């Protein structure tokens, strides 16, 4: 009869090797020697009488049987780890890890400014903020929270408002305006040097939206300069390289300081607030509850 504990440990070792694609990296995670880890996997394959991994001098990959085993057992180990983390509910100090998937702007403007004091109060807590401007399945990617605009949150999620409405602003630096002038109207933007953000190599936010006479008006602007970082878009506008369309909260301080000038203000469009969201069946630890309270938006 098999030693159940040994079988369990070897399965966990297999999952780590398969996920990382490396005996060396998995050995570091498990705090064992690579040779000992290889012996454990060989022993597991012998007991199961099936090959789980393809090994070469450069790479490690799963066989068809190994991939099936990985897909079925990895979520079980994840659930066990989550339940062990949930035991922190019964301690006086919050601990564990909170993983958040979030676009760049709310990461900088809504989360980062608040985490210093939060971590100082809860030194045993770990936060992981993964910046991603595209949609992410937070359940499949094992995130505790996601952050998106209200219109983009799935209906089966619990959503907590963490910002006010988001008004966009067309901005340029004074030196740019001195040299090229201001756009006379939204259509005139096609005659200017425009800086756009790219969420991935296939999708660029070069169709700017405005509200004119209560109607949505979309303007396809020239893509003179492209960044996949909103922070770099903002910096390039401040440096006078062109015109950009950015959330007003992102550029408000620069407008007030005179580094940027807002234009076409009467046509500015306003989008729904940002929301922190999570699955309805998600077990909320005290740390998660505290994090929700930390970010919850309160109207002033």
């Amino acid at each position: 009869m098999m030693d159940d504990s040994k079988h369990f440990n070897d399965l966990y070792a297999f999952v780590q090797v398969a996920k990382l694609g490396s005996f060396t990296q998995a050995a570091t995670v498990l705090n064992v020697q690579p040779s000992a880890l290889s012996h454990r996997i060989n022993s597991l394959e012998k007991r199961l009488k099936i090959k789980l991994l393809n090994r070469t001098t450069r790479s490690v990959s799963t066989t068809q049987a190994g991939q099936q085993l990985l897909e079925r057992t990895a979520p079980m180990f994840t659930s066990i780890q989550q339940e062990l983390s949930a035991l922190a509910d019964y301690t006086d100090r919050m601990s564990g890890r909170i993983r958040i998937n979030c676009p760049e702007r709310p990461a900088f403007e809504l989360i980062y400014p608040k985490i210093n004091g939060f971590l100082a109060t809860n030194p045993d807590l770990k936060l992981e903020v993964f910046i991603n401007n595209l949609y992410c399945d937070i359940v499949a990617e094992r995130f505790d929270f996601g952050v998106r605009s209200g219109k983009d949150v799935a209906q089966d999620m619990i959503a907590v408002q963490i910002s006010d409405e988001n008004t966009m602003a067309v901005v340029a630096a004074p030196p740019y305006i001195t040299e090229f002038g201001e756009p006379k109207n939204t259509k005139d933007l096609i005659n200017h040097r425009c800086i756009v953000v790219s969420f991935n190599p296939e999708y660029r936010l070069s169709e700017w939206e405005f509200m004119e006479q209560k109607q949505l008006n979309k303007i396809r602007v020239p893509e003179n300069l492209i960044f996949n970082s909103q922070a770099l878009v903002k910096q390039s506008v401040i440096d006078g390289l062109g015109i950009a369309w950015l959330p007003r909260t992102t550029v408000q301080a620069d407008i007030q300081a005179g580094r940027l000038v807002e234009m076409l203000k009467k046509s500015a469009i306003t989008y729904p607030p940002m929301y922190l969201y999570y699955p309805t069946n998600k077990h909320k630890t005290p740390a998660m509850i505290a994090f929700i309270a930390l970010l919850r938006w309160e109207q002033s």
Side-chain angles (χ1 to χ4, degrees), residues 121-221:
T121 306
N122 306 288
D124 295 333
L125 190 63
K126 298 178 177 64
L127 290 181
E128 179 180 340
V129 181
F130 185 84
I131 294 178
N132 177 14
N133 290 317
L134 296 175
Y135 173 78
C136 167
D137 184 340
I138 62 170
V139 176
E141 298 294 331
R142 300 193 303 278
F143 286 98
D144 298 302
F145 296 109
V147 175
R148 287 293 180 268
S149 172
K151 62 183 178 63
D152 297 326
V153 178
Q155 293 184 349
D156 60 346
M157 294 286 175
I158 296 176
V160 178
Q161 185 175 343
I162 61 173
S163 79
D164 200 351
E165 292 180 322
N166 175 31
T167 300
M168 301 297 290
V170 175
V171 291
Y176 176 90
I177 295 174
T178 299
E179 184 173 357
F180 299 102
E182 295 188 24
K184 301 177 181 64
N185 50 53
T186 56
K187 292 181 180 179
D188 193 30
L189 285 167
I190 64 174
N191 299 314
H192 282 266
R193 298 185 59 81
C194 295
I195 307 169
V196 303
V197 65
S198 175
F199 293 140
N200 63 43
E202 288 76 37
Y203 178 59
R204 298 163 181 173
L205 194 57
S206 56
E207 191 173 66
W208 297 358
E209 296 184 338
F210 301 91
M211 288 300 296
E212 297 179 295
Q213 298 180 347
K214 298 183 179 180
Q215 297 292 321
L216 176 64
N217 183 24
K218 299 182 179 181
I219 303 294
R220 177 73 66 177
V221 300

Side-chain angles (χ1 to χ4, degrees), residues 167-172 183 186 189 194 208-210 237 243-248 251 255 260-265 267-268:
T167 300
M168 301 297 290
V170 175
V171 291
T186 56
L189 285 167
C194 295
W208 297 358
E209 296 184 338
F210 301 91
V237 178
I243 293 176
W245 184 59
L246 292 167
R248 188 175 289 162
V251 294
I255 294 171
L260 293 176
V261 175
E262 182 176 2
M263 303 166 292
L264 306 174
K265 192 171 182 178
S267 300

Side-chain angles (χ1 to χ4, degrees), residues 105-122:
R105 183 184 71 86
F108 275 95
E109 296 180 13
L110 303 177
I111 295 179
Y112 185 75
K114 294 185 176 182
I115 63 176
N116 187 24
F118 187 65
L119 292 177
T121 306
N122 306 288

